[in-house]
Amino acid sequence: MGLFLGLGIGGTVLLACALVSDGVLEGVFGGALGGLLDGWLSLPVIAGFVSMLGFTGAIVLGSTGLGPGAAAAVGTLAGVGAGWSTYRLSRALLRDDSGAAPSHRDLVGSAGTVVTTVPGGGYGGVLLRLGGQPVKCAATAEGPLARGVEVWVTAAPSSTSVSVRAVER
C-alpha cells in the first residue's frame, strides 16, 4: 500500500514540477527521437500516469481482496487512461487557434466615445473597445469634438493613437 501511495504522491509532485518547469523534459532529448514520442514524454503525461497508477493501485489494494499484482494491473490501466487523456487535452489546447492577440489595427472601424475633448488639429482622448476590453487612446480629428460625442475610428497610426470622426445619425 505504501508503494502505491508513494507513487500517487510522487506523481502529484511531478505534476506540480511540470507546472513550474514547463517543457523541460521535452528539451532533454533535443529532437533525438525525431518527434516519435512528441508529447508522450511530457511531464504532465508522465505525472498523470504515475499518480493514477499509484492512487488507483492503493484504492484497489485497500478496498478489495485482490493482491498487489492485480492492483498494479488495474492501476496501470487507469494510468494509461489518465496519460492518454492528458496527452489529448494538451494537444487540443496547443492547437487552439481561436484568435491572435488584438492589435491597434483592429481598432479601425470601431466606435467609441470622446472622454477628453478633441481640439481641431490637436489630441484628445477616446474610449474604445479592443478585444472586449476598454482602451483609452489619444485621438485626433479634423474638427473639434466635445466630450461624450460618439466617434468612428478612421485610422490607427500607432498603438496609442487613433484618428476619428464624429458619428452622424
Side-chain angles (χ1 to χ4, degrees):
M1 174 83 72
L3 174 65
F4 287 120
L5 288 176
L7 285 172
I9 293 168
T12 305
V13 169
L14 188 61
L15 182 59
C17 291
L19 295 175
V20 172
S21 62
D22 183 33
V24 171
L25 187 60
E26 291 90 341
V28 170
F29 293 105
L33 300 176
L36 178 66
L37 298 175
D38 189 27
W40 283 105
L41 290 178
S42 67
L43 280 176
V45 171
I46 293 170
F49 172 78
V50 171
S51 62
M52 189 60 76
L53 165 69
F55 288 135
T56 303
I59 290 170
V60 169
L61 191 62
S63 65
T64 67
L66 300 175
V74 172
T76 300
L77 288 175
V80 168
W84 180 81
S85 298
T86 304
Y87 172 75
R88 297 295 297 169
L89 180 62
S90 65
R91 293 297 108 192
L93 291 174
L94 288 174
R95 279 193 309 267
D96 183 21
D97 296 334
S98 61
S103 71
H104 68 281
R105 290 180 218 49
D106 296 327
L107 289 171
V108 176
S110 64
T113 307
V114 176
V115 292
T116 306
T117 303
V118 179
Y123 282 95
V126 294
L127 186 63
L128 306 167
R129 291 220 170 258
L130 180 62
Q133 299 298 315
V135 177
K136 183 178 179 188
C137 293
T140 61
E142 291 181 11
L145 298 172
R147 186 170 186 243
V149 171
E150 188 175 354
V151 293
W152 187 263
V153 178
T154 58
S158 75
S159 61
T160 58
S161 68
V162 293
S163 297
V164 297
R165 66 172 175 82
V167 172
E168 299 171 11
R169 294 188 183 233

